[in-house]
Amino acid sequence: MSDVEHKGVARLLILMLLAAVGGRAAQAGAPPRDFLQLLAASDSTPEARRKAWEQLKAAGAPGKPVLDAIDAARARAWKRFAAFVASPAVAKPGADLAQAVKTNRAAVQDVVAGKSFSKAALDQAMAPITDALNKATAAVRAENGFAQTLGLIDEMEVYATEAGVRMSWSAALSDRLCTLAVVSHYLASPSGKQTLEDNKHAGDCIDSGELACISMLSAYRMLIGLEPLGIDLRLVIAARKHSEQMVEKDYFSHESPTAELKSFGNRARREYTSASGECIAIADGGPAAFNTWYCSQPHHQIMISKEPCVGVGGCGGRWTLMTGGSKGLFGPAAKMTQYVRDRYRAVKDPDRILRLARWCVKNHLVTQAEDELQRVLQIDPGNAEAAKALAALQAKKP
């Protein structure tokens, strides 16, 4: 099916959706139709879409039809980008990238594992691979319509962020995901592609800097012949809480001053998962944290370990990466995805954090409830409800 046909089908589906909800348009909370129509129209402009979006938000929270339409629009934008990556003009540079990885990955892994590790030695070993990757990404950027498609991706992801479909978006994340798409297309195994597909949902739940760091790690692992790691949201929140505590208590160490959080293993178990390794950094953003760990042999070896999953959490310039975990969610752990998403949404609003704590108690996430109640009291020391609830939880401890 051609791009024109895809656009026609997408537009027809949106118009059918509009027809289905049109009879209820006069009801309270029904979304204005203009934004949906503009999303489906091939001749609409970013300015017109933004104006309609602001009008829609002013009328109230966007409903499910709008959220679904935004999600579909962002998927279409990424599909257009994927068509550039798979185009005949990129096929030769892509094949050259695969050959460069096959030829040079052993040399890179030898440097990482050897006694003569240094950034200079690593850069030299990586040079043929990096050069091939640059040529492949340059070929994608040279495709007709690339700039417009990239702009459309950014626009749709910003709408998704403002609508609460994803946590945040940034230019740095956009760049990392575009590079990851190129690397994945030409290097990922079937299981690797599935891991990256699964990571998309988890990636919507976390901060853009954290996802940018994980995306860099996924691309790098494939560039040296390894599988990407799955995102374990329980590791993400364990890592984020450690970064938060390092900021709060003004320290920088793998060892927490809080007894039950002393080791990264303790911190992972509190979030219903496990960890085998941890990296920490003081850095201005997730990509900078990755670059710090990349240049350190012990941290580098943790990032290319054979563990199945990874989590990255940042706060106030402190960054933590944890490897280990698992992809299975059972018992209380099955609720952790919602806990992570709601925790990010609560930000530092004590009322929202208190509601999250109540939800945690109701869903038997007692440790998480205790953590959130303590957060409320850090922000609002006089909060009587949080103090009473925390005392009740602690009284029940063995």
Side-chain angles (χ1 to χ4, degrees):
M1 187 180 292
S2 68
D3 280 349
V4 172
E5 291 171 322
H6 276 300
K7 290 176 183 175
V9 171
R11 184 171 183 172
L12 177 60
L13 289 173
I14 295 294
L15 292 176
M16 290 171 62
L17 175 62
L18 288 170
V21 301
R24 301 191 299 274
Q27 296 179 11
R33 297 176 62 185
D34 288 349
F35 180 69
L36 293 180
Q37 290 173 326
L38 289 169
L39 273 186
S42 60
D43 59 349
S44 65
T45 66
E47 294 77 17
R49 292 191 293 267
R50 169 51 66 175
K51 182 177 180 181
W53 171 246
E54 295 298 338
Q55 291 173 343
L56 186 153
K57 289 195 298 179
K64 189 174 185 301
V66 175
L67 300 183
D68 289 346
I70 290 173
D71 217 22
R74 67 197 279 241
R76 289 197 301 273
W78 279 108
K79 188 172 183 179
R80 287 172 60 177
F81 182 85
F84 293 150
V85 174
S87 71
V90 184
K92 177 61 167 57
D96 290 344
L97 172 61
Q99 184 59 46
V101 170
K102 184 177 180 180
T103 303
N104 296 282
R105 63 190 177 191
V108 175
Q109 293 182 26
D110 285 345
V111 170
V112 175
K115 295 181 179 180
S116 59
F117 177 92
S118 68
K119 183 179 184 301
L122 185 57
D123 287 347
Q124 183 178 359
M126 279 292 297
I129 298 173
T130 302
D131 182 59
L133 175 61
N134 290 340
K135 289 178 179 177
T137 55
V140 174
R141 289 195 298 271
E143 287 286 293
N144 185 34
F146 169 81
Q148 294 89 334
T149 297
L150 188 59
L152 186 62
I153 286 172
D154 287 335
E155 181 189 354
M156 294 304 134
E157 294 292 0
V158 168
Y159 291 145
T161 300
E162 294 178 4
V165 175
R166 70 174 311 127
M167 288 301 111
S168 60
W169 185 254
S170 68
L173 176 57
S174 178
D175 290 342
R176 306 307 175 185
L177 290 179
C178 287
T179 299
L180 181 60
V182 175
V183 173
S184 171
H185 183 82
Y186 290 101
L187 298 178
S189 68
S191 63
K193 289 182 187 295
Q194 185 58 56
T195 294
L196 294 174
E197 186 63 30
D198 294 341
N199 282 354
K200 290 180 181 178
H201 174 69
D204 282 350
C205 299
I206 65 178
D207 177 76
S208 61
E210 295 163 350
L211 183 56
C213 182
I214 293 172
S215 299
M216 291 176 74
L217 176 58
S218 295
Y220 173 65
R221 286 177 62 94
M222 288 185 285
L223 287 171
I224 61 171
L226 303 176
E227 292 286 296
L229 300 181
I231 298 176
D232 184 340
L233 288 174
R234 297 163 297 175
L235 284 179
V236 171
I237 210 65
R240 188 176 179 93
K241 286 180 180 179
H242 185 56
S243 293
E244 289 173 350
Q245 191 190 57
M246 286 194 290
V247 171
E248 176 201 344
K249 296 186 178 295
D250 192 23
Y251 74 94
F252 182 67
S253 172
H254 293 284
E255 187 172 302
S256 167
T258 304
E260 61 266 33
L261 301 172
K262 187 171 183 179
S263 71
F264 61 77
N266 294 145
R267 296 190 285 272
R269 282 191 292 273
R270 281 173 61 86
E271 309 300 337
Y272 299 97
T273 188
S274 62
S276 62
E278 181 181 78
C279 304
I280 58 175
I282 298 176
D284 184 18
F290 173 84
N291 290 331
T292 297
W293 298 323
Y294 178 88
C295 296
S296 165
Q297 188 174 30
H299 297 98
H300 201 123
Q301 290 175 339
I302 290 172
M303 292 197 299
I304 64 171
S305 69
K306 295 182 179 179
E307 296 297 334
C309 297
V310 67
V312 173
C315 177
R318 300 292 201 274
W319 290 85
T320 304
L321 175 149
M322 299 173 75
T323 56
S326 66
K327 298 180 181 179
L329 293 173
F330 306 99
K335 298 288 185 179
M336 290 298 289
T337 297
Q338 184 171 342
Y339 167 64
V340 172
R341 183 183 286 272
D342 289 350
R343 190 178 192 272
Y344 277 76
R345 286 175 173 164
V347 197
K348 293 185 178 181
D349 183 330
D351 291 335
R352 297 181 72 175
I353 299 172
L354 192 55
R355 287 198 296 271
L356 175 59
R358 295 191 201 106
W359 179 88
C360 288
V361 171
K362 181 179 179 181
N363 287 276
H364 310 292
L365 299 177
V366 178
T367 297
Q368 287 68 34
E370 186 175 350
D371 288 349
E372 299 314 313
L373 290 169
Q374 288 174 341
R375 278 214 301 155
V376 172
L377 292 172
Q378 288 166 10
I379 299 167
D380 180 13
N383 193 302
E385 182 179 350
K388 182 179 179 180
L390 181 59
L393 284 179
Q394 292 176 337
K396 294 179 181 179
K397 281 188 172 181

